[in-house]
Amino acid sequence: MGNLSSSSHAGKGYRKERSRWKKNSKVSKNNKDKPTSTSNGHSHNSHGHGGINTIKPRNLCNDELPTDSDICICVVTWNMNGRVCEEDLAEIVGNRRQFDLLVVGLQEVPRRNVSQLLQATLLESYMLLGEAIMQSLQLYVFGPKGSDSFTKELKVDKYAVGGCGGVIGRKKGAVAIRLYYKSIQMMFVSCHLSAHTEKVEERNWECRHISHSLFSKIWNPYERPTQITVWLGDLNYRLQGIHSHSARNLIRKDHHKLLMSKDQLLQEAERGHIFDGYCEGTLTFKPTYKYNVGTNNYDTSHKVRVPSWTDRILFKIEDMNQMGATLHSYESMDDIYGSDHKPVKAHLCLRPYNNLHS
């Protein structure tokens, strides 16, 4: 698992599953410039970046409702920068709560009890199914009331890297939740990796070691193999090889797609170092870091940081002959001002293979 080809299988004994993905995946690197189709029949324009397949979201949330056989997941990641605002938390979880699961990954969480604030916000319609907490790094999975009856084998784990990351109480590393929900074995990993542009190799190392380590101590050879893995968080990969003013000019002219070639995460995946076989929505939104708190203006401090897509959501279906996947949306939430990061949200629907032809 040195190149993150299958981070959902942290223990030994899953090599067969990894090879099955490479053999059966319909999002193929060999056809990376062609429209690809998931096994539920939905087509996407996919552009390969080596290990990561970039998928254009369908953006059909309003005019094409998922079928009863779909399991729809809303995933949100947000670096809170040590601040909390109840209104912001309410906004990121939204008021259109028609999802089977709501997954919220938070980094640099303040010491206030964010879990209670989230539960109070979601009280009328959702319940907490599981949480994984390592100081300021936190992950929550919510489901509709009564959905605990669909949830089995829920496990949590965590892995710390780099001590306190240079700031007391602001942990680096990952927290994870595994669960069997309805008919699907899932794994969610929320991470916060090392900062600064030059620490690319360190971030790669952290990704690989997190992947190897999560759930390895409680590995069970008879356990159901993970069918989907979702990585979310402040991965801290930056734009490299471009001056801050040049990047901002492109963003100002709404040409930020041109910055994708400078993105370290896509570059490292293309080299085969990380996230082989994963999918990510097209980066149509503006870079999510670093903003002046309380504004939509990029950093005006003396550092004048280069804007970057530090906050990401990626997913991997282990065998697309067994399950289809549709990415409906992938977007930043620019109307959230309480942090120097913008939250990122994805809407992903899954359909188990045994329901595809029913």
Side-chain angles (χ1 to χ4, degrees), residues 72 74 86-87 89-102 117-127 142-145 345:
C72 290
C74 178
E86 294 183 40
E87 290 77 11
L89 284 175
E91 181 69 20
I92 68 168
V93 298
N95 53 17
R96 293 183 64 244
R97 296 167 192 155
Q98 301 175 354
F99 300 100
D100 293 276
L101 293 175
L102 170 62
L117 293 176
L118 284 171
Q119 289 184 72
T121 300
L122 296 164
L123 182 61
E124 294 183 2
S125 53
Y126 275 64
M127 62 182 298
F142 296 92
K145 284 194 170 181
K345 178 182 287 191

Side-chain angles (χ1 to χ4, degrees), residues 123-168:
L123 182 61
E124 294 183 2
S125 53
Y126 275 64
M127 62 182 298
L128 180 65
L129 298 178
E131 62 182 10
I133 297 176
M134 185 171 65
Q135 294 183 22
S136 62
L137 186 55
Q138 304 183 5
L139 176 65
Y140 303 95
V141 176
F142 296 92
K145 284 194 170 181
S147 59
D148 53 335
S149 61
F150 301 125
T151 306
K152 302 176 182 177
E153 304 170 13
L154 191 147
K155 298 177 181 178
V156 302
D157 202 2
K158 59 187 178 182
Y159 183 78
V161 297
C164 294
V167 181
I168 298 299

